[in-house]
Amino acid sequence: PRGILMAVVNRLRRRLAQLAKHLWRWAWATTRALRLAAPRERAACVPVRLNGSRLEVLLIESSKRRGVYVFPGGGVEAGESKEEACLRELHEEAGVAGDILLELEGYFDADSRTRTAAWAVAVRTEYEVWEEGLKGRQRRWFHAEEVRGVLSGKGVHQVALQELHRLQEDLVAKLRA
């Protein structure tokens, strides 16, 4: 009888933990949907390099949709600046390191309540092994003119792409310097 009682108690504990998790998710989603929560801060980067005289852009395969490419980016962690988050996400998702060149136009997504700051980053080091690469995520260099054909249609990526094309001459000049 004691063993049966303990099994029932443990099952109830697990179920309560699951219910608490679902309740938390519902409360957070409701808070965001009602526009009660502050927008979630994100940082993204457009990694670039020169190949001869041509500007190249590093894209990573979307973790959600194979064959679709995106710019590296993610949430800003507590105590972290947006610039630090940009460089951290670049390292984690694309396995490269670099220096910030220019700040790009930001993007606000009203549906997901996210505000994304973005920067163009000059890639200085490319690592053979990186966190997302171990999970099978691909990275690939594209000429700046090719990016439009493979990039995700999400607003944040399209705004960054417009900025890339608008600032292409400035980026090339900074990379040559």
Side-chain angles (χ1 to χ4, degrees):
R2 181 168 164 81
I4 294 172
L5 181 61
M6 291 307 296
V8 169
V9 167
N10 286 334
R11 180 184 251 175
L12 284 172
R13 281 184 184 155
R14 284 192 302 274
R15 186 66 183 139
L16 282 172
Q18 288 174 339
L19 288 171
K21 184 177 176 182
H22 290 298
L23 181 60
W24 173 251
R25 284 184 180 162
W26 173 84
W28 177 244
T30 302
T31 301
R32 288 180 69 189
L34 294 174
R35 308 288 195 254
L36 300 174
R40 188 168 53 102
E41 297 295 333
R42 299 184 77 251
C45 54
V46 177
V48 295
R49 72 178 181 191
L50 279 181
N51 185 357
S53 62
R54 294 185 74 179
L55 184 67
E56 291 187 328
V57 181
L58 182 66
L59 299 178
I60 56 174
E61 191 173 38
S62 169
S63 60
K64 296 179 177 96
R65 295 177 27 215
R66 296 288 175 215
V68 174
Y69 286 85
V70 297
F71 293 115
V76 177
E77 296 178 359
E80 182 179 52
S81 72
K82 293 175 188 173
E83 292 89 346
E84 290 168 334
C86 167
L87 296 174
R88 176 183 49 77
E89 290 291 341
L90 181 64
H91 184 264
E92 288 175 4
E93 294 186 353
V96 298
D99 304 313
I100 291 178
L101 292 174
L102 294 171
E103 185 170 3
L104 306 175
E105 182 178 330
Y107 180 78
F108 178 73
D109 186 332
D111 292 333
S112 66
R113 300 279 299 153
T114 57
R115 183 176 26 237
T116 305
W119 290 267
V121 176
V123 173
R124 304 290 182 217
T125 307
E126 203 168 330
Y127 301 102
E128 288 187 34
V129 178
W130 74 99
E131 189 174 330
E132 293 289 319
L134 294 173
K135 298 175 187 174
R137 199 162 192 185
Q138 301 295 310
R139 65 181 177 202
R140 186 170 155 208
W141 287 99
F142 292 89
H143 292 294
E145 304 81 35
E146 300 173 308
V147 172
R148 186 174 310 283
V150 297
L151 189 65
S152 165
K154 286 179 75 173
V156 65
H157 300 294
Q158 293 303 311
V159 168
L161 178 62
Q162 288 173 2
E163 284 288 279
L164 171 71
H165 289 303
R166 184 177 72 81
L167 298 168
Q168 189 166 345
E169 289 179 20
D170 292 343
L171 289 170
V172 169
K174 284 185 176 278
L175 288 166
R176 285 191 176 134

